[in-house]
Amino acid sequence: MAAVDTVVLDKTGTLTEGKPKLVTVLPADGLSERELLGLAAGLERGSEHPLAAAILSGAEARGVTPAAVEGFEAVPGKGARGRAGARRVALGNAAMLAAEGATVPDALAGRADELRRAGQTVVFVAADGAALGLLGVADPIKPTTPDALRELRAAGLRVVMLTGDSRATAEAVAKPLGIDEVIAEVLPEGKADAVRELRAAGRVVAMAGDGVNDAPALAAADVGIAMGTGAGVAVESAGVTLVGGDLRGVPKDRALSRAT
């Protein structure tokens, strides 16, 4: 840790609270908000992703009963699919919709871009190859994050955000935090590849993350740093655990390492 010159940070649950909230429900023409949210919540009951918890909580708060969905299948880095009665249903990012053969209508795509620029993560919902609408989820930045980033920069460290989220959403979070280097829209295996590329370029890399998707990158870094508030597999993959998930522990860890 004393030799680290580059710190790579996951977004959700590392820079942000990791407790996203459902703020937008936008059905396509001919569908109600309740129908759209019911299908999405039905699918997400089988998921452990933070976005799933936000959608389920949002449905409960709106009095929407999750649809009965069977055959849940998680697709890493993309979303999930299953069956609701006779319909094949899916939800996730644009890559998930493409895998389902669903095209996003222009009007829906335009609204998705607006939400991303506002820092929301967009989740599309589809059935039988047709887009049904989208959900927008917002995740507030941890109050301790700005101080942690200032301390890292003051120590002369290069700071990189690495996320599977869309570039627009990632940059909307990165800009107010002063993070200029953003690697976005990366699948889980791509996160580890990005860390390896930095190391191959001669950087000594610490990677901080909290989720199942971050575990390969944590293992690939010179120093893996897990948020103790995140997934167990991330903690198992890392050499350092920040028990309370406070990023200010990273500059503190480096200072302790250099002193030692």
Side-chain angles (χ1 to χ4, degrees):
M1 190 68 193
V4 163
D5 57 24
T6 302
V7 178
V8 178
L9 302 169
D10 169 53
K11 180 179 75 67
T12 303
T14 302
L15 292 169
T16 67
E17 295 278 7
K19 297 175 183 175
K21 294 179 176 60
L22 179 66
V23 293
T24 303
V25 181
L26 187 62
D29 292 341
L31 197 72
S32 72
E33 289 188 8
R34 295 183 70 83
E35 288 174 299
L36 177 66
L37 189 50
L39 273 176
L43 252 179
E44 293 289 42
R45 279 191 301 188
S47 175
E48 295 179 353
H49 196 281
L51 292 179
I55 290 168
L56 285 165
S57 294
E60 183 179 358
R62 292 164 174 80
V64 174
T65 302
V69 174
E70 299 177 342
F72 172 84
E73 178 192 356
V75 183
K78 294 183 180 179
R81 60 167 69 98
R83 298 200 70 84
R87 290 195 291 178
R88 186 182 81 254
V89 293
L91 101 180
N93 56 23
M96 186 71 209
L97 255 66
E100 292 293 303
T103 302
V104 181
D106 290 343
L108 214 55
R111 286 288 287 125
D113 287 340
E114 290 174 16
L115 295 176
R116 292 187 187 108
R117 286 193 293 271
Q120 291 186 37
T121 297
V122 172
V123 179
F124 292 105
V125 184
D128 295 329
L132 298 182
L134 63 80
L135 307 175
V137 177
D139 187 8
I141 293 168
K142 290 179 183 177
T144 55
T145 293
D147 285 343
L149 292 173
R150 277 192 290 272
E151 291 176 32
L152 290 171
R153 290 192 200 94
L157 296 172
R158 175 182 177 185
V159 178
V160 181
M161 179 197 286
L162 178 61
T163 178
D165 219 329
S166 75
R167 175 155 295 279
T169 300
E171 289 182 346
V173 172
K175 189 173 181 180
L177 290 173
I179 300 175
D180 299 322
E181 200 167 345
V182 177
I183 304 172
E185 300 175 5
V186 182
L187 293 174
E189 58 271 21
K191 287 189 173 185
D193 290 340
V195 168
R196 292 189 194 101
E197 286 173 15
L198 286 166
R199 293 184 68 193
R203 312 299 296 199
V204 182
V205 180
M207 165 73 191
D210 81 315
V212 173
N213 289 348
D214 299 316
L218 295 175
D222 292 286
V223 182
I225 302 171
M227 302 296 111
T229 49
V233 68
V235 173
E236 290 296 326
S237 302
V240 177
T241 299
L242 304 180
V243 177
D246 184 343
L247 268 181
R248 291 177 298 184
V250 179
K252 184 183 294 184
D253 184 18
R254 186 169 183 272
L256 288 168
S257 299
R258 289 173 72 86
T260 304

